PDB file of all heavy atoms in Angstrom:
ATOM      1  N   GLU R 261       7.145 -25.896  19.489  1.00  0.00           N
ATOM      2  CA  GLU R 261       8.417 -25.222  19.716  1.00  0.00           C
ATOM      3  C   GLU R 261       9.502 -26.001  18.986  1.00  0.00           C
ATOM      4  O   GLU R 261       9.462 -27.232  18.909  1.00  0.00           O
ATOM      5  CB  GLU R 261       8.704 -25.186  21.217  1.00  0.00           C
ATOM      6  CG  GLU R 261       9.857 -24.311  21.627  1.00  0.00           C
ATOM      7  CD  GLU R 261       9.960 -24.242  23.147  1.00  0.00           C
ATOM      8  OE1 GLU R 261      10.476 -25.214  23.740  1.00  0.00           O
ATOM      9  OE2 GLU R 261       9.529 -23.244  23.732  1.00  0.00           O
ATOM     10  N   LYS R 262      10.458 -25.272  18.441  1.00  0.00           N
ATOM     11  CA  LYS R 262      11.529 -25.937  17.692  1.00  0.00           C
ATOM     12  C   LYS R 262      12.838 -25.201  17.902  1.00  0.00           C
ATOM     13  O   LYS R 262      12.886 -23.977  17.869  1.00  0.00           O
ATOM     14  CB  LYS R 262      11.189 -25.967  16.194  1.00  0.00           C
ATOM     15  CG  LYS R 262      12.228 -26.664  15.329  1.00  0.00           C
ATOM     16  CD  LYS R 262      11.814 -26.659  13.871  1.00  0.00           C
ATOM     17  CE  LYS R 262      12.866 -27.350  13.000  1.00  0.00           C
ATOM     18  NZ  LYS R 262      12.494 -27.332  11.571  1.00  0.00           N
ATOM     19  N   GLU R 263      13.924 -25.964  18.102  1.00  0.00           N
ATOM     20  CA  GLU R 263      15.262 -25.371  18.215  1.00  0.00           C
ATOM     21  C   GLU R 263      16.070 -25.777  16.989  1.00  0.00           C
ATOM     22  O   GLU R 263      16.127 -26.943  16.619  1.00  0.00           O
ATOM     23  CB  GLU R 263      15.970 -25.827  19.485  1.00  0.00           C
ATOM     24  CG  GLU R 263      17.309 -25.124  19.676  1.00  0.00           C
ATOM     25  CD  GLU R 263      17.891 -25.347  21.072  1.00  0.00           C
ATOM     26  OE1 GLU R 263      17.164 -25.820  21.948  1.00  0.00           O
ATOM     27  OE2 GLU R 263      19.074 -25.042  21.261  1.00  0.00           O
ATOM     28  N   SER R 264      16.687 -24.785  16.342  1.00  0.00           N
ATOM     29  CA  SER R 264      17.425 -25.042  15.108  1.00  0.00           C
ATOM     30  C   SER R 264      18.869 -25.415  15.397  1.00  0.00           C
ATOM     31  O   SER R 264      19.345 -25.339  16.530  1.00  0.00           O
ATOM     32  CB  SER R 264      17.399 -23.789  14.226  1.00  0.00           C
ATOM     33  OG  SER R 264      18.252 -22.800  14.765  1.00  0.00           O
ATOM     34  N   ARG R 265      19.579 -25.780  14.327  1.00  0.00           N
ATOM     35  CA  ARG R 265      21.004 -26.089  14.475  1.00  0.00           C
ATOM     36  C   ARG R 265      21.793 -24.863  14.928  1.00  0.00           C
ATOM     37  O   ARG R 265      22.841 -24.974  15.535  1.00  0.00           O
ATOM     38  CB  ARG R 265      21.564 -26.580  13.125  1.00  0.00           C
ATOM     39  CG  ARG R 265      20.874 -27.794  12.560  1.00  0.00           C
ATOM     40  CD  ARG R 265      21.606 -28.344  11.343  1.00  0.00           C
ATOM     41  NE  ARG R 265      21.921 -27.331  10.359  1.00  0.00           N
ATOM     42  CZ  ARG R 265      21.079 -26.927   9.407  1.00  0.00           C
ATOM     43  NH1 ARG R 265      19.850 -27.432   9.342  1.00  0.00           N
ATOM     44  NH2 ARG R 265      21.443 -26.025   8.518  1.00  0.00           N
ATOM     45  N   ALA R 266      21.260 -23.671  14.602  1.00  0.00           N
ATOM     46  CA  ALA R 266      21.954 -22.425  14.971  1.00  0.00           C
ATOM     47  C   ALA R 266      21.577 -21.964  16.378  1.00  0.00           C
ATOM     48  O   ALA R 266      21.835 -20.821  16.747  1.00  0.00           O
ATOM     49  CB  ALA R 266      21.614 -21.327  13.963  1.00  0.00           C
ATOM     50  N   LYS R 267      20.948 -22.844  17.162  1.00  0.00           N
ATOM     51  CA  LYS R 267      20.559 -22.542  18.540  1.00  0.00           C
ATOM     52  C   LYS R 267      19.538 -21.416  18.621  1.00  0.00           C
ATOM     53  O   LYS R 267      19.523 -20.630  19.560  1.00  0.00           O
ATOM     54  CB  LYS R 267      21.785 -22.204  19.406  1.00  0.00           C
ATOM     55  CG  LYS R 267      22.864 -23.271  19.428  1.00  0.00           C
ATOM     56  CD  LYS R 267      22.316 -24.594  19.957  1.00  0.00           C
ATOM     57  CE  LYS R 267      23.395 -25.662  19.970  1.00  0.00           C
ATOM     58  NZ  LYS R 267      22.861 -26.979  20.397  1.00  0.00           N
ATOM     59  N   VAL R 268      18.699 -21.347  17.603  1.00  0.00           N
ATOM     60  CA  VAL R 268      17.562 -20.419  17.619  1.00  0.00           C
ATOM     61  C   VAL R 268      16.333 -21.219  18.038  1.00  0.00           C
ATOM     62  O   VAL R 268      16.033 -22.251  17.452  1.00  0.00           O
ATOM     63  CB  VAL R 268      17.330 -19.780  16.233  1.00  0.00           C
ATOM     64  CG1 VAL R 268      16.058 -18.946  16.238  1.00  0.00           C
ATOM     65  CG2 VAL R 268      18.522 -18.932  15.849  1.00  0.00           C
ATOM     66  N   LYS R 269      15.633 -20.712  19.053  1.00  0.00           N
ATOM     67  CA  LYS R 269      14.477 -21.431  19.582  1.00  0.00           C
ATOM     68  C   LYS R 269      13.210 -20.635  19.285  1.00  0.00           C
ATOM     69  O   LYS R 269      13.063 -19.501  19.728  1.00  0.00           O
ATOM     70  CB  LYS R 269      14.641 -21.628  21.090  1.00  0.00           C
ATOM     71  CG  LYS R 269      13.671 -22.619  21.701  1.00  0.00           C
ATOM     72  CD  LYS R 269      14.034 -22.851  23.156  1.00  0.00           C
ATOM     73  CE  LYS R 269      13.153 -23.908  23.798  1.00  0.00           C
ATOM     74  NZ  LYS R 269      13.514 -24.131  25.221  1.00  0.00           N
ATOM     75  N   ASN R 270      12.302 -21.217  18.508  1.00  0.00           N
ATOM     76  CA  ASN R 270      11.071 -20.543  18.111  1.00  0.00           C
ATOM     77  C   ASN R 270       9.847 -21.199  18.737  1.00  0.00           C
ATOM     78  O   ASN R 270       9.746 -22.424  18.786  1.00  0.00           O
ATOM     79  CB  ASN R 270      10.903 -20.591  16.588  1.00  0.00           C
ATOM     80  CG  ASN R 270      11.890 -19.699  15.871  1.00  0.00           C
ATOM     81  OD1 ASN R 270      12.480 -18.823  16.475  1.00  0.00           O
ATOM     82  ND2 ASN R 270      12.060 -19.912  14.580  1.00  0.00           N
ATOM     83  N   SER R 271       8.916 -20.366  19.190  1.00  0.00           N
ATOM     84  CA  SER R 271       7.606 -20.842  19.646  1.00  0.00           C
ATOM     85  C   SER R 271       6.551 -20.218  18.745  1.00  0.00           C
ATOM     86  O   SER R 271       6.578 -19.014  18.496  1.00  0.00           O
ATOM     87  CB  SER R 271       7.352 -20.436  21.101  1.00  0.00           C
ATOM     88  OG  SER R 271       8.343 -20.983  21.946  1.00  0.00           O
ATOM     89  N   HIS R 272       5.624 -21.039  18.253  1.00  0.00           N
ATOM     90  CA  HIS R 272       4.624 -20.581  17.287  1.00  0.00           C
ATOM     91  C   HIS R 272       3.229 -20.611  17.900  1.00  0.00           C
ATOM     92  O   HIS R 272       2.852 -21.595  18.549  1.00  0.00           O
ATOM     93  CB  HIS R 272       4.637 -21.465  16.034  1.00  0.00           C
ATOM     94  CG  HIS R 272       5.977 -21.570  15.371  1.00  0.00           C
ATOM     95  ND1 HIS R 272       6.546 -20.530  14.675  1.00  0.00           N
ATOM     96  CD2 HIS R 272       6.866 -22.597  15.300  1.00  0.00           C
ATOM     97  CE1 HIS R 272       7.714 -20.903  14.196  1.00  0.00           C
ATOM     98  NE2 HIS R 272       7.937 -22.156  14.564  1.00  0.00           N
ATOM     99  N   TYR R 273       2.451 -19.552  17.640  1.00  0.00           N
ATOM    100  CA  TYR R 273       1.086 -19.457  18.153  1.00  0.00           C
ATOM    101  C   TYR R 273       0.130 -19.117  17.013  1.00  0.00           C
ATOM    102  O   TYR R 273       0.430 -18.270  16.168  1.00  0.00           O
ATOM    103  CB  TYR R 273       0.992 -18.385  19.246  1.00  0.00           C
ATOM    104  CG  TYR R 273       1.856 -18.691  20.437  1.00  0.00           C
ATOM    105  CD1 TYR R 273       3.192 -18.289  20.476  1.00  0.00           C
ATOM    106  CD2 TYR R 273       1.359 -19.425  21.522  1.00  0.00           C
ATOM    107  CE1 TYR R 273       4.005 -18.602  21.557  1.00  0.00           C
ATOM    108  CE2 TYR R 273       2.164 -19.740  22.601  1.00  0.00           C
ATOM    109  CZ  TYR R 273       3.488 -19.322  22.622  1.00  0.00           C
ATOM    110  OH  TYR R 273       4.287 -19.638  23.690  1.00  0.00           O
ATOM    111  N   LEU R 274      -1.024 -19.777  16.995  1.00  0.00           N
ATOM    112  CA  LEU R 274      -2.023 -19.591  15.950  1.00  0.00           C
ATOM    113  C   LEU R 274      -3.126 -18.663  16.442  1.00  0.00           C
ATOM    114  O   LEU R 274      -3.617 -18.808  17.574  1.00  0.00           O
ATOM    115  CB  LEU R 274      -2.618 -20.947  15.561  1.00  0.00           C
ATOM    116  CG  LEU R 274      -3.711 -20.958  14.487  1.00  0.00           C
ATOM    117  CD1 LEU R 274      -3.169 -20.486  13.151  1.00  0.00           C
ATOM    118  CD2 LEU R 274      -4.291 -22.379  14.365  1.00  0.00           C
ATOM    119  N   SER R 275      -3.533 -17.707  15.590  1.00  0.00           N
ATOM    120  CA  SER R 275      -4.567 -16.745  15.974  1.00  0.00           C
ATOM    121  C   SER R 275      -5.925 -17.419  16.137  1.00  0.00           C
ATOM    122  O   SER R 275      -6.150 -18.535  15.643  1.00  0.00           O
ATOM    123  CB  SER R 275      -4.670 -15.633  14.934  1.00  0.00           C
ATOM    124  OG  SER R 275      -5.114 -16.142  13.682  1.00  0.00           O
ATOM    125  N   ARG R 276      -6.844 -16.734  16.798  1.00  0.00           N
ATOM    126  CA  ARG R 276      -8.167 -17.293  17.058  1.00  0.00           C
ATOM    127  C   ARG R 276      -8.927 -17.624  15.781  1.00  0.00           C
ATOM    128  O   ARG R 276      -9.731 -18.561  15.744  1.00  0.00           O
ATOM    129  CB  ARG R 276      -8.986 -16.304  17.891  1.00  0.00           C
ATOM    130  CG  ARG R 276      -8.527 -16.193  19.343  1.00  0.00           C
ATOM    131  CD  ARG R 276      -9.358 -15.156  20.049  1.00  0.00           C
ATOM    132  NE  ARG R 276      -9.051 -15.083  21.477  1.00  0.00           N
ATOM    133  CZ  ARG R 276      -9.622 -14.219  22.305  1.00  0.00           C
ATOM    134  NH1 ARG R 276     -10.515 -13.352  21.851  1.00  0.00           N
ATOM    135  NH2 ARG R 276      -9.301 -14.199  23.589  1.00  0.00           N
ATOM    136  N   ASP R 277      -8.694 -16.814  14.724  1.00  0.00           N
ATOM    137  CA  ASP R 277      -9.410 -17.050  13.464  1.00  0.00           C
ATOM    138  C   ASP R 277      -8.624 -17.936  12.501  1.00  0.00           C
ATOM    139  O   ASP R 277      -9.032 -18.098  11.350  1.00  0.00           O
ATOM    140  CB  ASP R 277      -9.761 -15.724  12.797  1.00  0.00           C
ATOM    141  CG  ASP R 277      -8.535 -14.879  12.463  1.00  0.00           C
ATOM    142  OD1 ASP R 277      -7.393 -15.363  12.677  1.00  0.00           O
ATOM    143  OD2 ASP R 277      -8.703 -13.744  12.003  1.00  0.00           O
ATOM    144  N   TRP R 278      -7.507 -18.490  12.944  1.00  0.00           N
ATOM    145  CA  TRP R 278      -6.671 -19.387  12.152  1.00  0.00           C
ATOM    146  C   TRP R 278      -6.044 -18.685  10.948  1.00  0.00           C
ATOM    147  O   TRP R 278      -5.573 -19.338  10.021  1.00  0.00           O
ATOM    148  CB  TRP R 278      -7.460 -20.626  11.665  1.00  0.00           C
ATOM    149  CG  TRP R 278      -7.843 -21.568  12.743  1.00  0.00           C
ATOM    150  CD1 TRP R 278      -8.430 -21.253  13.938  1.00  0.00           C
ATOM    151  CD2 TRP R 278      -7.672 -22.989  12.744  1.00  0.00           C
ATOM    152  NE1 TRP R 278      -8.650 -22.370  14.691  1.00  0.00           N
ATOM    153  CE2 TRP R 278      -8.202 -23.464  13.976  1.00  0.00           C
ATOM    154  CE3 TRP R 278      -7.159 -23.893  11.837  1.00  0.00           C
ATOM    155  CZ2 TRP R 278      -8.198 -24.802  14.315  1.00  0.00           C
ATOM    156  CZ3 TRP R 278      -7.161 -25.237  12.170  1.00  0.00           C
ATOM    157  CH2 TRP R 278      -7.672 -25.684  13.395  1.00  0.00           C
ATOM    158  N   LYS R 279      -5.982 -17.385  10.967  1.00  0.00           N
ATOM    159  CA  LYS R 279      -5.472 -16.646   9.817  1.00  0.00           C
ATOM    160  C   LYS R 279      -4.001 -16.297   9.957  1.00  0.00           C
ATOM    161  O   LYS R 279      -3.276 -16.201   8.966  1.00  0.00           O
ATOM    162  CB  LYS R 279      -6.285 -15.361   9.624  1.00  0.00           C
ATOM    163  CG  LYS R 279      -5.968 -14.609   8.341  1.00  0.00           C
ATOM    164  CD  LYS R 279      -6.878 -13.401   8.172  1.00  0.00           C
ATOM    165  CE  LYS R 279      -6.543 -12.638   6.891  1.00  0.00           C
ATOM    166  NZ  LYS R 279      -7.405 -11.430   6.726  1.00  0.00           N
ATOM    167  N   TYR R 280      -3.526 -16.108  11.195  1.00  0.00           N
ATOM    168  CA  TYR R 280      -2.162 -15.634  11.424  1.00  0.00           C
ATOM    169  C   TYR R 280      -1.397 -16.546  12.373  1.00  0.00           C
ATOM    170  O   TYR R 280      -1.985 -17.272  13.186  1.00  0.00           O
ATOM    171  CB  TYR R 280      -2.173 -14.223  12.039  1.00  0.00           C
ATOM    172  CG  TYR R 280      -2.910 -13.203  11.224  1.00  0.00           C
ATOM    173  CD1 TYR R 280      -4.174 -12.760  11.620  1.00  0.00           C
ATOM    174  CD2 TYR R 280      -2.355 -12.673  10.057  1.00  0.00           C
ATOM    175  CE1 TYR R 280      -4.869 -11.815  10.870  1.00  0.00           C
ATOM    176  CE2 TYR R 280      -3.043 -11.730   9.312  1.00  0.00           C
ATOM    177  CZ  TYR R 280      -4.296 -11.302   9.729  1.00  0.00           C
ATOM    178  OH  TYR R 280      -4.983 -10.377   8.988  1.00  0.00           O
ATOM    179  N   VAL R 281      -0.076 -16.468  12.268  1.00  0.00           N
ATOM    180  CA  VAL R 281       0.825 -17.121  13.221  1.00  0.00           C
ATOM    181  C   VAL R 281       1.781 -16.070  13.760  1.00  0.00           C
ATOM    182  O   VAL R 281       2.313 -15.259  12.994  1.00  0.00           O
ATOM    183  CB  VAL R 281       1.629 -18.257  12.548  1.00  0.00           C
ATOM    184  CG1 VAL R 281       2.722 -18.774  13.488  1.00  0.00           C
ATOM    185  CG2 VAL R 281       0.695 -19.386  12.140  1.00  0.00           C
ATOM    186  N   THR R 282       1.968 -16.061  15.063  1.00  0.00           N
ATOM    187  CA  THR R 282       3.007 -15.228  15.671  1.00  0.00           C
ATOM    188  C   THR R 282       4.110 -16.139  16.181  1.00  0.00           C
ATOM    189  O   THR R 282       3.845 -17.136  16.865  1.00  0.00           O
ATOM    190  CB  THR R 282       2.457 -14.379  16.827  1.00  0.00           C
ATOM    191  OG1 THR R 282       1.636 -13.341  16.288  1.00  0.00           O
ATOM    192  CG2 THR R 282       3.586 -13.719  17.619  1.00  0.00           C
ATOM    193  N   THR R 283       5.334 -15.803  15.821  1.00  0.00           N
ATOM    194  CA  THR R 283       6.498 -16.559  16.274  1.00  0.00           C
ATOM    195  C   THR R 283       7.283 -15.727  17.276  1.00  0.00           C
ATOM    196  O   THR R 283       7.598 -14.562  17.017  1.00  0.00           O
ATOM    197  CB  THR R 283       7.408 -16.928  15.087  1.00  0.00           C
ATOM    198  OG1 THR R 283       6.706 -17.835  14.228  1.00  0.00           O
ATOM    199  CG2 THR R 283       8.688 -17.599  15.560  1.00  0.00           C
ATOM    200  N   ILE R 284       7.575 -16.314  18.414  1.00  0.00           N
ATOM    201  CA  ILE R 284       8.454 -15.713  19.415  1.00  0.00           C
ATOM    202  C   ILE R 284       9.832 -16.346  19.230  1.00  0.00           C
ATOM    203  O   ILE R 284       9.985 -17.555  19.367  1.00  0.00           O
ATOM    204  CB  ILE R 284       7.955 -15.946  20.848  1.00  0.00           C
ATOM    205  CG1 ILE R 284       6.505 -15.479  21.013  1.00  0.00           C
ATOM    206  CG2 ILE R 284       8.874 -15.253  21.846  1.00  0.00           C
ATOM    207  CD1 ILE R 284       6.289 -13.989  20.886  1.00  0.00           C
ATOM    208  N   ILE R 285      10.809 -15.523  18.886  1.00  0.00           N
ATOM    209  CA  ILE R 285      12.162 -16.018  18.579  1.00  0.00           C
ATOM    210  C   ILE R 285      13.093 -15.753  19.755  1.00  0.00           C
ATOM    211  O   ILE R 285      13.116 -14.651  20.310  1.00  0.00           O
ATOM    212  CB  ILE R 285      12.730 -15.309  17.334  1.00  0.00           C
ATOM    213  CG1 ILE R 285      11.799 -15.484  16.138  1.00  0.00           C
ATOM    214  CG2 ILE R 285      14.128 -15.834  17.002  1.00  0.00           C
ATOM    215  CD1 ILE R 285      12.170 -14.595  14.960  1.00  0.00           C
ATOM    216  N   ARG R 286      13.856 -16.777  20.116  1.00  0.00           N
ATOM    217  CA  ARG R 286      14.957 -16.612  21.071  1.00  0.00           C
ATOM    218  C   ARG R 286      16.215 -17.111  20.379  1.00  0.00           C
ATOM    219  O   ARG R 286      16.309 -18.287  20.044  1.00  0.00           O
ATOM    220  CB  ARG R 286      14.719 -17.417  22.352  1.00  0.00           C
ATOM    221  CG  ARG R 286      13.546 -16.953  23.185  1.00  0.00           C
ATOM    222  CD  ARG R 286      13.288 -17.910  24.331  1.00  0.00           C
ATOM    223  NE  ARG R 286      12.178 -17.491  25.151  1.00  0.00           N
ATOM    224  CZ  ARG R 286      10.898 -17.718  24.855  1.00  0.00           C
ATOM    225  NH1 ARG R 286      10.589 -18.376  23.735  1.00  0.00           N
ATOM    226  NH2 ARG R 286       9.940 -17.304  25.648  1.00  0.00           N
ATOM    227  N   ASN R 287      17.173 -16.200  20.158  1.00  0.00           N
ATOM    228  CA  ASN R 287      18.394 -16.658  19.491  1.00  0.00           C
ATOM    229  C   ASN R 287      19.438 -17.080  20.520  1.00  0.00           C
ATOM    230  O   ASN R 287      19.188 -17.078  21.728  1.00  0.00           O
ATOM    231  CB  ASN R 287      18.935 -15.589  18.539  1.00  0.00           C
ATOM    232  CG  ASN R 287      19.380 -14.328  19.258  1.00  0.00           C
ATOM    233  OD1 ASN R 287      19.457 -14.287  20.482  1.00  0.00           O
ATOM    234  ND2 ASN R 287      19.676 -13.286  18.499  1.00  0.00           N
ATOM    235  N   LYS R 288      20.613 -17.455  20.046  1.00  0.00           N
ATOM    236  CA  LYS R 288      21.622 -18.007  20.952  1.00  0.00           C
ATOM    237  C   LYS R 288      22.133 -16.973  21.945  1.00  0.00           C
ATOM    238  O   LYS R 288      22.692 -17.330  22.980  1.00  0.00           O
ATOM    239  CB  LYS R 288      22.786 -18.610  20.166  1.00  0.00           C
ATOM    240  CG  LYS R 288      23.510 -17.646  19.250  1.00  0.00           C
ATOM    241  CD  LYS R 288      24.563 -18.384  18.437  1.00  0.00           C
ATOM    242  CE  LYS R 288      25.280 -17.457  17.464  1.00  0.00           C
ATOM    243  NZ  LYS R 288      26.269 -18.188  16.641  1.00  0.00           N
ATOM    244  N   GLU R 289      21.939 -15.669  21.654  1.00  0.00           N
ATOM    245  CA  GLU R 289      22.291 -14.621  22.620  1.00  0.00           C
ATOM    246  C   GLU R 289      21.127 -14.330  23.565  1.00  0.00           C
ATOM    247  O   GLU R 289      21.177 -13.398  24.350  1.00  0.00           O
ATOM    248  CB  GLU R 289      22.684 -13.330  21.899  1.00  0.00           C
ATOM    249  CG  GLU R 289      24.046 -13.368  21.217  1.00  0.00           C
ATOM    250  CD  GLU R 289      23.959 -13.999  19.835  1.00  0.00           C
ATOM    251  OE1 GLU R 289      22.855 -13.995  19.257  1.00  0.00           O
ATOM    252  OE2 GLU R 289      24.988 -14.511  19.347  1.00  0.00           O
ATOM    253  N   GLN R 290      20.053 -15.128  23.441  1.00  0.00           N
ATOM    254  CA  GLN R 290      18.847 -14.996  24.258  1.00  0.00           C
ATOM    255  C   GLN R 290      18.079 -13.700  23.995  1.00  0.00           C
ATOM    256  O   GLN R 290      17.314 -13.240  24.840  1.00  0.00           O
ATOM    257  CB  GLN R 290      19.185 -15.121  25.756  1.00  0.00           C
ATOM    258  CG  GLN R 290      19.684 -16.491  26.165  1.00  0.00           C
ATOM    259  CD  GLN R 290      18.670 -17.588  25.814  1.00  0.00           C
ATOM    260  OE1 GLN R 290      17.510 -17.533  26.189  1.00  0.00           O
ATOM    261  NE2 GLN R 290      19.140 -18.584  25.062  1.00  0.00           N
ATOM    262  N   LYS R 291      18.304 -13.084  22.828  1.00  0.00           N
ATOM    263  CA  LYS R 291      17.492 -11.940  22.445  1.00  0.00           C
ATOM    264  C   LYS R 291      16.133 -12.454  21.979  1.00  0.00           C
ATOM    265  O   LYS R 291      16.032 -13.480  21.320  1.00  0.00           O
ATOM    266  CB  LYS R 291      18.169 -11.151  21.321  1.00  0.00           C
ATOM    267  CG  LYS R 291      19.419 -10.412  21.762  1.00  0.00           C
ATOM    268  CD  LYS R 291      20.001  -9.603  20.597  1.00  0.00           C
ATOM    269  CE  LYS R 291      21.242  -8.841  21.045  1.00  0.00           C
ATOM    270  NZ  LYS R 291      21.838  -8.063  19.932  1.00  0.00           N
ATOM    271  N   MET R 292      15.077 -11.701  22.323  1.00  0.00           N
ATOM    272  CA  MET R 292      13.726 -12.107  21.962  1.00  0.00           C
ATOM    273  C   MET R 292      13.146 -11.159  20.924  1.00  0.00           C
ATOM    274  O   MET R 292      13.441  -9.958  20.914  1.00  0.00           O
ATOM    275  CB  MET R 292      12.820 -12.135  23.194  1.00  0.00           C
ATOM    276  CG  MET R 292      13.126 -13.241  24.164  1.00  0.00           C
ATOM    277  SD  MET R 292      11.965 -13.270  25.555  1.00  0.00           S
ATOM    278  CE  MET R 292      10.453 -13.774  24.743  1.00  0.00           C
ATOM    279  N   PHE R 293      12.329 -11.703  20.066  1.00  0.00           N
ATOM    280  CA  PHE R 293      11.716 -10.940  18.979  1.00  0.00           C
ATOM    281  C   PHE R 293      10.384 -11.600  18.658  1.00  0.00           C
ATOM    282  O   PHE R 293      10.259 -12.826  18.725  1.00  0.00           O
ATOM    283  CB  PHE R 293      12.636 -10.971  17.757  1.00  0.00           C
ATOM    284  CG  PHE R 293      12.096 -10.303  16.523  1.00  0.00           C
ATOM    285  CD1 PHE R 293      12.023  -8.933  16.431  1.00  0.00           C
ATOM    286  CD2 PHE R 293      11.670 -11.064  15.440  1.00  0.00           C
ATOM    287  CE1 PHE R 293      11.543  -8.319  15.281  1.00  0.00           C
ATOM    288  CE2 PHE R 293      11.195 -10.463  14.278  1.00  0.00           C
ATOM    289  CZ  PHE R 293      11.132  -9.078  14.210  1.00  0.00           C
TER     290      PHE R 293
END
Side-chain angles (χ1 to χ4, degrees):
E261 190 174 78
K262 181 180 180 181
E263 185 168 347
S264 73
R265 302 189 311 275
K267 304 301 180 184
V268 174
K269 193 173 184 180
N270 289 343
S271 300
H272 305 288
Y273 298 87
L274 179 64
S275 65
R276 288 178 175 178
D277 60 4
W278 291 48
K279 188 176 179 181
Y280 303 105
V281 171
T282 288
T283 294
I284 306 293
I285 304 169
R286 294 173 180 82
N287 64 10
K288 59 185 178 182
E289 287 84 23
Q290 294 303 306
K291 290 182 179 179
M292 290 183 69
F293 176 73

